Amino acid sequence: MIMAESTWYAVQTYSGHENKVQRLIQRRIEEQEGSDDKEIRAVVVPTQDVVEIRNGKRVTVTRRLYPGYVLVDMDLNERTMHTVNNIQGVIKFVGSGKAPQPLHEEEINKILGIKVEKDDDETHEEIPFHLGQVVEVTQGPFSDFSGTIKEVYPEKGKVKVEVSLFGRPTSVELDYT
């Protein structure tokens, strides 16, 4: 017999089926609404908003932090394990052996904290360049110059590029778009 405890578990799903699994588990939670003892309390697909550059424009997209996984807050017993395992798109609970392993409190607080923090704060800028990469400047006073990336400033959304100006290396700080 599995001991009942209230905590978060990671459930592995087929890639791309996270939202579908979340909806199906949420439906099971809503079916429990009338009962006093809620065995499955919450389901989360951890996401993060990031800014990407597409066709030269900044676009905010929502990315899954852990593709292929859904987090479920539940009492672990035979009935809840059977319920979650039989949802279409679920592969298995994450854990060693046959018993699912609960997530540590610090892990779940970090995951849920990241999700809440990213919704409230600025979104994370993902700069598609790395140190030493050769780039061509397309806009501004240095357009049509080629240079090498010397530093990346993700918090500012800028890169430092070394270009050759009048035969001398010159560092310029540019917006990464």
Side-chain angles (χ1 to χ4, degrees):
M1 181 76 179
I2 297 172
M3 258 179 70
E5 55 183 37
S6 170
T7 189
W8 288 88
Y9 295 90
V11 177
Q12 187 177 8
T13 67
Y14 291 112
S15 185
H17 290 200
E18 299 88 352
N19 292 336
K20 176 182 176 184
V21 169
Q22 181 185 22
R23 280 193 311 274
L24 292 171
I25 293 175
Q26 190 63 41
R27 196 174 297 158
R28 299 288 164 93
I29 292 170
E30 291 165 4
E31 290 171 3
Q32 296 179 41
E33 287 298 323
S35 71
D36 296 333
D37 184 31
K38 288 184 99 177
E39 293 181 310
I40 302 174
R41 284 172 291 288
V43 59
V44 175
V45 176
T47 59
Q48 175 183 27
D49 290 333
V50 294
V51 177
E52 291 182 345
I53 303 300
R54 290 189 184 162
N55 299 328
K57 296 180 183 176
R58 291 182 186 206
V59 179
T60 302
V61 293
T62 301
R63 278 215 184 125
R64 292 180 196 92
L65 288 177
Y66 306 104
Y69 293 93
V70 173
L71 305 178
V72 181
D73 180 18
M74 61 184 245
D75 291 329
L76 183 64
N77 58 41
E78 296 292 333
R79 184 173 43 251
T80 55
M81 276 185 58
H82 180 74
T83 300
V84 173
N85 276 326
N86 286 323
I87 289 178
Q88 186 179 5
V90 169
I91 296 173
K92 65 178 181 172
F93 278 93
V94 174
S96 59
K98 295 191 181 218
Q101 297 295 311
L103 296 173
H104 294 285
E105 191 174 338
E106 309 87 56
E107 291 174 317
I108 196 67
N109 288 340
K110 179 182 171 195
I111 292 168
L112 295 177
I114 287 172
K115 183 174 190 254
V116 172
E117 177 185 320
K118 293 302 177 191
D119 288 344
D120 295 342
D121 291 347
E122 255 183 55
T123 57
H124 172 68
E125 299 264 344
E126 191 167 296
I127 298 181
F129 301 113
H130 54 81
L131 296 178
Q133 183 177 0
V134 176
V135 295
E136 185 173 330
V137 181
T138 57
Q139 295 176 355
F142 296 100
S143 62
D144 298 328
F145 277 84
S146 291
T148 306
I149 295 185
K150 294 298 179 186
E151 293 183 53
V152 178
Y153 305 111
E155 62 282 347
K156 294 180 182 178
K158 296 191 180 278
V159 291
K160 185 180 277 189
V161 179
E162 189 173 275
V163 296
S164 177
L165 192 61
F166 304 118
R168 299 179 64 179
T170 305
S171 292
V172 291
E173 197 170 286
L174 303 169
D175 191 61
Y176 75 93
T177 58

